[in-house]
Amino acid sequence: MPTCLPIVRRRCHACPSQRLRASGKFRVNANHKLLDVWLLALCSACGETAKLTVLERMTVRSIPPELLDRLHANDPGLIAELLQDPAVQHQNRLALDWTDAWRLDTGGSDHLDLDVIDVAVRNAARIPVRPTRLIAEGCGVSRGEVDRLIAEGKIVSAFRLSGKLTGDFTFTLKR
């Protein structure tokens, strides 16, 4: 599950840094009946403000009133939703860096004594994580040990456990 907002990977217009952090504020600009909405982000190096486009030239009536209320209230939940929206990411040419922005909740360690463990991993957000890293953290072993268990067939899954996944997955651990 996420613990904080991810770092936005996009070049700062004022310095060579590629790391921005969401400021937690929106800017809504009205031009007659048309609205522009930006999410404000601050450069991690120089503190310069960058605007990430959320809506461009939208008529006021075409925007749901609940969304407008959330924009005006600088809703943190909306900020997280918009940062993860593929359309917003593509429009602003940005990527998200989730390093140190999530944690693993295993529900306790009493399950580690069993011979066979069926595990279902549920991602609370679309966070790209390495399944081998999650298994290592959840079971209290090294990533090398997890790779060895996969090679020996003691960890099996219908999903590819190498690389990164953003969705839910399941696996079985045989001791």
Side-chain angles (χ1 to χ4, degrees), residues 12-161:
C12 173
H13 67 276
C15 74
S17 175
Q18 299 241 349
R19 299 172 58 85
L20 306 171
R21 60 180 171 77
S23 71
K25 297 185 188 274
F26 290 100
R27 175 158 184 225
V28 180
N29 186 36
N31 185 1
H32 299 287
K33 294 181 183 180
L34 302 177
L35 288 182
D36 291 315
V37 178
W38 298 281
L39 172 61
L40 301 179
L42 302 173
C43 176
S44 297
C46 68
E48 190 69 26
T49 302
K51 296 188 295 188
L52 306 176
T53 303
V54 176
L55 299 173
E56 273 187 312
R57 300 292 170 191
M58 299 285 295
T59 59
V60 176
R61 291 181 187 257
S62 67
I63 302 172
E66 308 83 41
L67 177 59
L68 273 177
D69 291 341
R70 291 177 74 188
L71 290 167
H72 289 298
N74 293 318
D75 183 3
L78 181 60
I79 293 169
E81 290 172 29
L82 290 172
L83 281 176
Q84 294 177 41
D85 184 0
V88 172
Q89 290 179 10
H90 178 74
Q91 181 179 17
N92 291 285
R93 295 182 186 96
L94 63 91
L96 299 178
D97 182 0
W98 286 95
T99 306
D100 299 327
W102 60 272
R103 71 177 172 86
L104 177 65
D105 184 13
T106 61
S109 61
D110 56 343
H111 61 281
L112 297 177
D113 303 340
L114 303 172
D115 290 335
V116 177
I117 305 170
D118 287 321
V119 179
V121 177
R122 303 284 175 244
N123 248 340
R126 293 176 8 146
I127 302 171
V129 293
R130 295 188 183 280
T132 54
R133 181 176 173 199
L134 284 181
I135 295 168
E137 272 189 47
C139 296
V141 297
S142 69
R143 285 181 60 187
E145 178 72 12
V146 170
D147 290 336
R148 187 184 63 74
L149 291 171
I150 290 172
E152 292 176 357
K154 293 188 176 183
I155 295 179
V156 293
S157 176
F159 297 88
R160 184 177 55 91
L161 297 177

